[in-house]
Amino acid sequence: MTSRFYKFGVTALSACIGSLAATWVCTDRNSSPYVVHNEIARPPKRKRTLPPRPEQMKSLQSGEEYDVLIIGGGATGAGCALDAVTRGLKTALVEADDFASGTSSRSTKLIHGGVRYLQKAILGLDFEQYRMVKEALQERASMLESAPHLAHPLPIMLPVYQWWQVPYYWVGIKCYDLVAGDRNVKSSYYLSKKDALELFPMLKKDKLCGAIVYYDGQQDDARMCLAVALTAARHGATVCNHVEVKELLKKDENGKKVLCGAKVKDNITGKEFTVKAKCIINATGPFTDFIRKMDDPNVKTICCPSSGVHIVLPGYYSPDQMGLLDPSTSDGRVIFFLPWQRQTIAGTTDLPCDITHNPSPTEDEIQFILNEIKNYLNTDVEVRRGDVLSAWSGIRPLVSDPNKEDTQSLARNHIVHVSPSNLVTIAGGKWTTYRAMAEHTIDAAIKACNLKPERPEAVTSYLKIEGGQGWTPTMYIRLVQDFGLECEVAQHLAKSYGDRAFAVSKMASLTGKRWPIIGNRVHPEFPYIDAEIRYGVREYACTAVDMIARRLRLAFLNVQAASEALPVIVDLMGEELHWSKDEKERQIKLANEFLAHEMGQMVNRTSKERIPIKLSKDEIQTYVKRFQLIDKDKKGYVSINDIRRALKSFGDADVSGEQLHEILREIDTNMNGQVELDEYLQMMSAIKTGDVAYSRFARMAELEEQKHEAAQLKQKISVDRSGGGL
């Protein structure tokens, strides 16, 4: 025991001394990158209103030469565009899909330095990893300041179930605060068992000794990426989504081949054209090697993709303002359990994967996360497979550094590499450090391609992102008072759009009710309104998937709700983009495919099929009876007409055809357009075991039985009365 205390004391003391020393060494004591020392560091004012996409495409096709052409519209690419244009460089950005359509919208939504990375850095005396954590903590503060509407501090609880771990984790988390220095969000603190359970009542009580609470940041990742791209556009950058690079162009310069532009294709119209540029930046995340091989087919691959799956559970799984960290899962990984937009995010996994544009979560990964969650929640909280509202996989692009001789080991931080033809590649890193990554990339681009910026240094540290300039925490109250919006809707608009929420509100339609006056919801369970669809088109949304996944976050929050809202969303987009009936149907089909394969809807359906039917004889008889009551024609299956007839008998005569198909799809696992008895029994068994939380078809069948029994009772009473008597 004495030996254990001695070892712990030495480790704790070493950690503190090491952190202090490293912080002193790594800090420039004469200056701070967050203090403006001269006039040149002042960020320029925005130059223009947001140009529509056709105008951006016209600029891209003008034939003018850009200083910088950035390939990739994720966090890093958008950050590069903002950094370059605010230095005075003529900047263009192209993205084959949509802004943040890849990894940048599929993160854990945290803005953090990495507690686990710091632990490894201190215990392994890894100075490079320490510097990565320190840089990330500096950037965390910068993000919270630049986009206060999209990012906020989040307390995260680390529960402790062995008494000796309390001081161990306390010292580790205090080191995390120490490394952040004056850029720390809030100080960490210790909680007793009683206080921990008061703040996180879902926590497992048995053997709980206490908890450590520390602070990191949380963001809406897709909207953050979009806001950075829009800010770049307002400063004069030409940013175009759905524009794919087909070929890199080269010219002879001083006896060597250097890049001078790219042949691109507008995936919306199909038109191909050439964009000239002095410098080309490859910021394509997992597709880094694809662009590198376009430049040089013989170059070695450097990207080692890893899949990270997250799931979304109902909000009651976690408190509104407290996250949870499982520091050591059954296989040694870390699991976060975080409140996000009134729901709960859990993840992530970390497995090698293939590079694809359409990553999908697997049932095994979902089950792994659910099983790990069970270890930390009390027995009152039944962790059910049916509570998984959505699930997604993001590909993390780990890279080996081509600048080093040893290219086998993966770089823990980001790398910037310049090829012989001057292709500047930025790869690796993390969401939190996107701004610093962009700064390093543009520095390298200026040097490699001899660019002449108006400002030699980056100014993005002091720049407010789209929506952040006039935002205040109480701004939503003005939206309620000035426009007559619901309070929940107003809060959502303020947090998603910042000071642009007023422009969104002006586009809202009248409800025809006493209250709210304006703002018709596109789905009754979520605060998204019709105006956001119209405004989303002005934010360069070109497809239904762009809208439900990245302008609204509905696909990530609840895949079923997203599917139900699609007809309304597509109709509104169709009005703005002048879609034909055929195009609307195509958009709905593509969006449903996206929800099925990339947002977990298909894997949810498949998980139901695996569930064995565990029903008693009496339960089976009850459900067979209900099924036969709906199948009035005794066909042996229930058709969509049977569902329509049943709903009409309950007074739901105005149910749309799309809603009827939604009810059918949630139980039609065979996907043959009808519900068979075995599918119904499978569903009821899944509801019983908790693998499915709720089914509208099951509720409809239950109501049909109640209606039938009420009719029989009424008939019996009538017969009894007709018999006469005294």
Side-chain angles (χ1 to χ4, degrees), residues 157 159 161 193-194 196-208 316-319 324 337 370-384 387:
M157 182 182 291
Y161 289 91
K193 176 179 178 178
K194 179 183 176 183
L197 291 173
E198 185 176 325
L199 285 173
F200 207 119
M202 307 84 173
L203 206 58
K204 185 174 71 175
K205 305 174 186 177
D206 297 344
K207 299 182 180 180
L208 181 66
Y316 56 73
Y317 270 85
S318 65
L324 184 75
F337 193 63
L370 290 174
N371 290 333
E372 292 301 326
I373 290 169
K374 290 176 185 176
N375 296 332
Y376 277 86
L377 299 183
N378 66 47
T379 52
D380 291 337
V381 183
E382 183 184 356
V383 180
R384 305 181 300 180
D387 284 337

Side-chain angles (χ1 to χ4, degrees), residues 463-492:
L463 202 63
K464 289 289 185 184
I465 302 302
E466 174 91 350
Q469 193 70 43
W471 180 85
T472 65
T474 55
M475 192 187 80
Y476 74 93
I477 297 174
R478 285 180 55 200
L479 295 173
V480 174
Q481 294 176 337
D482 294 354
F483 292 96
L485 288 163
E486 288 178 81
C487 187
E488 183 187 5
V489 170
Q491 288 175 325
H492 153 68

Side-chain angles (χ1 to χ4, degrees), residues 137-286:
L137 290 174
Q138 298 278 332
E139 292 302 315
R140 177 187 68 180
S142 180
M143 284 186 73
L144 289 169
E145 290 172 3
S146 65
H149 57 304
L150 291 170
H152 62 274
L154 178 71
I156 299 175
M157 182 182 291
L158 199 164
V160 183
Y161 289 91
Q162 297 187 55
W163 67 267
W164 65 268
Q165 289 182 332
V166 172
Y168 177 78
Y169 285 132
W170 184 86
V171 169
I173 294 299
K174 283 301 175 184
C175 287
Y176 194 62
D177 291 348
L178 186 65
V179 173
D182 62 354
R183 306 294 287 168
N184 196 27
V185 178
K186 291 184 181 181
S187 294
S188 58
Y189 55 91
Y190 168 75
L191 285 175
S192 66
K193 176 179 178 178
K194 179 183 176 183
D195 291 339
L197 291 173
E198 185 176 325
L199 285 173
F200 207 119
M202 307 84 173
L203 206 58
K204 185 174 71 175
K205 305 174 186 177
D206 297 344
K207 299 182 180 180
L208 181 66
C209 302
I212 313 294
V213 175
Y214 72 98
Y215 285 82
D216 263 326
Q218 189 177 50
Q219 65 167 335
D220 182 339
D221 53 2
R223 287 212 61 87
M224 180 72 80
C225 180
L226 177 66
V228 173
L230 296 179
T231 307
R234 287 190 187 276
H235 279 279
T238 301
V239 298
C240 299
N241 55 346
H242 298 284
V243 176
E244 181 180 1
V245 171
K246 307 298 288 186
E247 181 184 351
L248 297 180
L249 305 177
K250 296 181 181 180
K251 68 178 181 180
D252 287 316
E253 187 175 278
N254 298 326
K256 73 170 186 175
K257 294 279 189 180
V258 295
L259 295 173
C260 62
K263 185 178 179 180
V264 303
K265 178 182 178 181
D266 182 353
N267 287 330
I268 301 299
T269 64
K271 183 177 181 180
E272 294 191 5
F273 54 94
T274 297
V275 180
K276 293 187 289 186
K278 298 174 184 176
C279 178
I280 295 181
I281 294 175
N282 174 16
T284 52

Side-chain angles (χ1 to χ4, degrees), residues 362-597:
T362 66
E363 183 62 25
D364 289 342
E365 289 170 308
I366 292 172
Q367 288 295 343
F368 168 79
I369 296 171
L370 290 174
N371 290 333
E372 292 301 326
I373 290 169
K374 290 176 185 176
N375 296 332
Y376 277 86
L377 299 183
N378 66 47
T379 52
D380 291 337
V381 183
E382 183 184 356
V383 180
R384 305 181 300 180
R385 176 62 180 83
D387 284 337
V388 177
L389 303 175
S390 67
W392 69 85
S393 172
I395 300 177
R396 185 185 177 200
L398 303 173
V399 292
S400 57
D401 191 346
N403 298 307
K404 296 181 179 179
E405 292 183 8
D406 175 20
T407 58
Q408 298 301 313
S409 58
L410 296 177
R412 296 186 180 94
N413 210 339
H414 62 270
I415 61 101
V416 179
H417 177 257
V418 181
S419 75
S421 63
N422 288 348
L423 175 66
V424 181
T425 294
I426 170 67
K430 56 197 296 184
W431 225 120
T432 306
T433 58
Y434 87 92
R435 193 210 62 81
M437 291 167 64
E439 181 178 337
H440 299 159
T441 305
I442 301 304
D443 286 343
I446 291 170
K447 182 179 179 181
C449 300
N450 195 29
L451 303 177
K452 307 295 181 184
E454 294 175 9
R455 301 171 186 83
E457 298 177 359
V459 296
T460 48
S461 292
Y462 333 110
L463 202 63
K464 289 289 185 184
I465 302 302
E466 174 91 350
Q469 193 70 43
W471 180 85
T472 65
T474 55
M475 192 187 80
Y476 74 93
I477 297 174
R478 285 180 55 200
L479 295 173
V480 174
Q481 294 176 337
D482 294 354
F483 292 96
L485 288 163
E486 288 178 81
C487 187
E488 183 187 5
V489 170
Q491 288 175 325
H492 153 68
L493 293 179
K495 289 178 181 178
S496 297
Y497 302 91
D499 59 19
R500 305 304 302 164
F502 294 97
V504 178
S505 300
K506 289 176 182 177
M507 303 175 76
S509 59
L510 294 169
T511 63
K513 303 175 185 176
R514 184 185 63 82
W515 189 265
I517 299 171
I518 64 168
N520 289 296
R521 297 192 183 211
V522 297
H523 192 281
E525 297 172 21
F526 292 88
Y528 302 116
I529 60 171
D530 54 351
E532 293 181 79
I533 313 303
R534 301 188 188 281
Y535 193 78
V537 172
R538 288 154 180 78
E539 292 182 320
Y540 307 140
C542 300
T543 69
V545 174
D546 293 352
M547 192 65 70
I548 62 173
R550 293 172 288 273
R551 303 308 180 278
L552 317 182
R553 303 311 309 275
L554 196 51
F556 284 82
L557 293 170
N558 189 318
V559 68
Q560 187 62 38
S563 183
E564 292 167 2
L566 264 177
V568 174
I569 290 171
V570 168
D571 280 344
L572 289 167
M573 289 189 73
E575 291 177 16
E576 294 291 322
L577 295 169
H578 310 293
W579 285 343
S580 65
K581 181 181 178 183
D582 288 345
E583 179 61 19
K584 288 181 183 179
E585 291 175 354
R586 190 180 79 89
Q587 289 292 333
I588 289 176
K589 180 184 176 184
L590 291 173
N592 277 320
E593 289 175 358
F594 167 79
L595 295 173
H597 297 288

